[in-house]
Amino acid sequence: MSQAVTVTGMILSSAPIGEYDKRIVILTREKGKISAFAKGARRPNSLLMGSVNPFSFGVFQLYEGRNSYNLMQAQISNYFMELREDVEAAYYGFYFMEFAGYYAKEYTDETQSLKLLYQTLRALTKKLIPNELIRCIFELRLISINGEGPQMFECVSCGDKERKTIFSPLKGGLVCEECRNGIIDGIMIDNSTLYALQYIVSSTLEKLYAFNVSEEVLRKLQEVMKRYLDIYVEKQFKSLEILEMLTGGLKK
């Protein structure tokens, strides 16, 4: 027998099914990443029509069947309409949602990932800091939430917290000057860049986008994140390919 389920979440993707239906993927606080069918959502008079688009955040009432969920009602509290008026920002958003979906699983606690995604989209709409910085912050914080982030507070080899360090993607974080012999992929980072990296992994989510950096520090953050993700994230994101075509290739 079907069972009613109420979840809070954000629609990551939406695709047409048949003549009038849609299949949506929702990142939820209660049940992780789930798929659901929105029957009749493409009919002109459907009450679900405006509630099943990507970026829609709210409360969703579902019926849990034997093999799938069916969406019955939705109360959307934020559509992030601003992103629909800015193509570049929209594709940053699509990338962030695809990246979040890459890590999310069904029946796992995705509270932190959902909150991060929401705060990140808000940062995109506010435009107080560059989109490139928002991207670096989101990438580093998301992989840290999922237990794959680099060690940014001590040497990964000896645990020293005082000596000068380099960043080694292959080693998974900082390496001090005493342990750096043989390191072939070291990235020199200054104190400002190190502080930014440490702030990103340790700040509360509410304050995560409350700082800015110089162009030099931003370039170094981009270098660190690109080289780290190239090693530890085994996926090519379609939305990122489109984003980089739109922007002429991000400086990473």
Side-chain angles (χ1 to χ4, degrees):
M1 173 179 278
S2 297
Q3 180 178 352
V5 177
T6 300
V7 297
T8 298
M10 179 178 293
I11 295 182
L12 300 181
S13 63
S14 177
I17 296 290
E19 188 173 359
Y20 296 112
D21 304 339
K22 276 193 172 184
R23 178 182 179 272
I24 59 175
V25 177
I26 315 173
L27 180 64
T28 75
R29 185 173 59 197
E30 297 84 358
K31 291 184 174 292
K33 183 177 69 173
I34 61 174
S35 299
F37 292 98
K39 295 183 178 180
R42 296 165 62 204
R43 293 182 183 274
N45 60 346
S46 173
L47 296 178
L48 296 177
M49 176 179 285
S51 305
V52 291
N53 296 315
F55 303 127
S56 297
F57 177 88
V59 176
F60 301 88
Q61 184 177 357
L62 313 166
Y63 277 100
E64 184 177 7
R66 180 174 298 178
N67 300 313
S68 65
Y69 291 94
N70 291 301
L71 177 65
M72 306 306 295
Q73 295 182 21
Q75 296 178 328
I76 305 302
S77 57
N78 196 336
Y79 292 92
F80 289 99
M81 294 299 295
E82 300 93 335
L83 299 182
R84 305 179 195 280
E85 301 168 359
D86 184 334
V87 174
E88 181 180 317
Y91 272 97
Y92 270 102
F94 287 135
Y95 167 56
F96 297 151
M97 292 194 297
E98 190 177 359
F99 199 2
Y102 167 74
Y103 276 112
K105 302 291 187 294
E106 191 172 4
Y107 301 120
T108 57
D109 184 353
E110 300 294 342
T111 302
Q112 290 299 304
S113 296
L114 178 61
K115 191 173 182 179
L116 171 64
L117 183 58
Y118 186 88
Q119 295 292 346
T120 303
L121 296 186
R122 286 190 64 194
L124 280 176
T125 63
K126 289 182 177 180
K127 301 183 181 300
L128 297 179
I129 62 176
N131 291 339
E132 295 89 345
L133 177 57
I134 294 174
R135 173 180 169 181
C136 291
I137 294 171
F138 177 81
E139 290 171 338
L140 179 53
R141 189 56 176 258
L142 185 66
I143 61 174
S144 298
I145 287 173
N146 285 279
E148 296 184 3
Q151 171 56 258
M152 299 308 311
F153 289 92
E154 61 184 37
C155 174
V156 297
S157 296
C158 71
D160 180 81
K161 299 179 181 179
E162 303 298 330
R163 291 189 286 265
K164 292 183 179 180
T165 59
I166 60 172
F167 181 84
S168 169
L170 287 172
K171 286 288 187 179
L174 301 180
V175 179
C176 76
E177 57 188 353
E178 297 293 328
C179 300
R180 62 183 293 181
N181 289 339
I183 298 296
I184 61 174
D185 68 332
I187 302 172
M188 301 297 297
I189 54 176
D190 57 38
N191 288 336
S192 296
T193 303
L194 178 59
Y195 176 79
L197 289 165
Q198 291 174 338
Y199 183 88
I200 292 168
V201 300
S202 63
S203 168
T204 62
L205 292 177
E206 291 79 5
K207 296 181 179 180
L208 193 55
Y209 295 102
F211 76 102
N212 208 337
V213 297
S214 67
E215 291 186 6
E216 181 180 353
V217 170
L218 177 56
R219 286 194 297 269
K220 189 63 68 171
L221 291 175
Q222 290 176 306
E223 180 184 2
V224 166
M225 290 313 304
K226 182 179 189 308
R227 290 175 60 179
Y228 193 82
L229 295 182
D230 283 347
I231 295 173
Y232 296 102
V233 177
E234 299 178 353
K235 180 177 173 60
Q236 297 294 320
F237 298 100
K238 293 181 180 180
S239 52
L240 181 57
E241 294 176 2
I242 297 173
L243 172 63
E244 293 189 336
M245 285 191 295
L246 286 172
T247 58
L250 297 180
K251 297 177 181 179
K252 295 191 80 173

